[in-house]
Amino acid sequence: MKTLSLFILTSFFYILGISTLSAANWKVYVAKYKQDKTCAITYTFDDGLAEHSTVAAPELEKRGFRGTFWVCGFYTEQGASSKLPRMTWDELKQMAKNGHEISNHSWSHQNAKRLTLEQVKSEIEKNDSAIFANIGVMPVTYCYPYNYKTDEIVALASKNRVGTRTKQISIGGKSSPQRFAKWLDDLMTKEEWGVGMTHGINYGYDAFKEPSLFWEHLDKVKSLEDKIWVGTFREVAAYIRERDDIRLNVSTHKRGLTITPEMTLDKKIYTEPLTMVLVGEAVEKVSVKQGKKQLSAHISGDKVLFDFNPYAGKNNLRMYMKNKLVLLLFFILTGAVSVNAQNLPDQKETLEVMKKVNGYFMKKYADYTIPSFYGRVRPSNIWTRGVYYEGLMALYSIYP
């Protein structure tokens, strides 16, 4: 019994199998939180105390975290002469360069309950201007003094911002290991965004009874960073608004998908990259481009993840499927076992098929500098000729 060589046919069907990728096979969406993490946490520090720059920020940075620091320009300009020492503009500017968010807590921390709407507006705008003049960054978030707010104040403060702090949990003097642990468990179970609020670390309003409790908590969060996204208030608020606003149009091209994002938000203030998730068939390799920019993609099981700019246009994905290759090879090689001299097709018919396969390769991979379907560069015309003539020899060994 003689068996027909299937090398050239295997290559032929492999290529055809790759080209049958369909958008219907994939679920495409923006992750709930960055990098498809389970929940998000933001650490916020109120009132601009001096130890925020000398203690809190360095401890966050040790763990790769960044925080949001709500400051009042009136206190900042008093500096060390204030009743409680405050950060200076120079310190705040350096913190901003280090990746922390410096944002608006009103100019002089007055209770809005005692102010007119026009006075509230003046407090907000004056502090915006001071922060921009001294740090070079215009705040796009806001924190209410004394956490007092009405619907009118929220509407006023929210103008031209990605978010304002309307919900938080105190993580200062009330903290305990059990309270921290419950907070984390609840966030991961409910897949929520937690906003921690504190003022003092060692001194000031609601300071920690033992600051080491906070550092131990941060260590725990660091150990769970595959599940928890720690971002500034601006980052997480912007991400959520963008995620909820975006619309994705998905289409197929010859070897992958084209995903076109559409957003209606103001791109001057909504600048946070989003994480795209594709769930479907197992992928061996993926290449993602947005415009001319190559994006970094991560494969995890049946998911493909990558961060993208929601305003930069189409995302073109080129993917190579594990299971398509396995199935095709399985059926072809299984078929080879049953091919014998008694069941061979006509010699002329077989030769015509071989010519078509050879022609396909010569046309598709005539330029040897172009990578093949699995990314390998080879002198395609020489390679296909070698396979072609190998097939001819196999053919004539069967038909003596």
Side-chain angles (χ1 to χ4, degrees), residues 2 344-348 350 394-400:
K2 299 179 181 179
L344 286 174
D346 178 74
Q347 181 180 18
K348 184 177 179 181
T350 305
L395 178 66
Y396 284 101
S397 70
I398 296 171
Y399 294 99

Side-chain angles (χ1 to χ4, degrees), residues 181-201:
K182 185 178 186 307
W183 185 42
L184 292 184
D185 288 342
D186 287 346
L187 290 178
M188 288 190 288
T189 300
K190 299 176 183 178
E191 300 183 358
E192 292 182 338
W193 173 26
V195 179
M197 174 195 72
T198 191
H199 296 72
I201 303 297

Side-chain angles (χ1 to χ4, degrees), residues 309-324:
N309 179 346
Y311 294 105
K314 297 179 180 179
N315 296 273
N316 289 307
L317 291 84
R318 196 174 191 179
M319 293 178 286
Y320 303 88
M321 322 309 296
K322 282 182 180 177
N323 59 338
K324 282 185 179 287

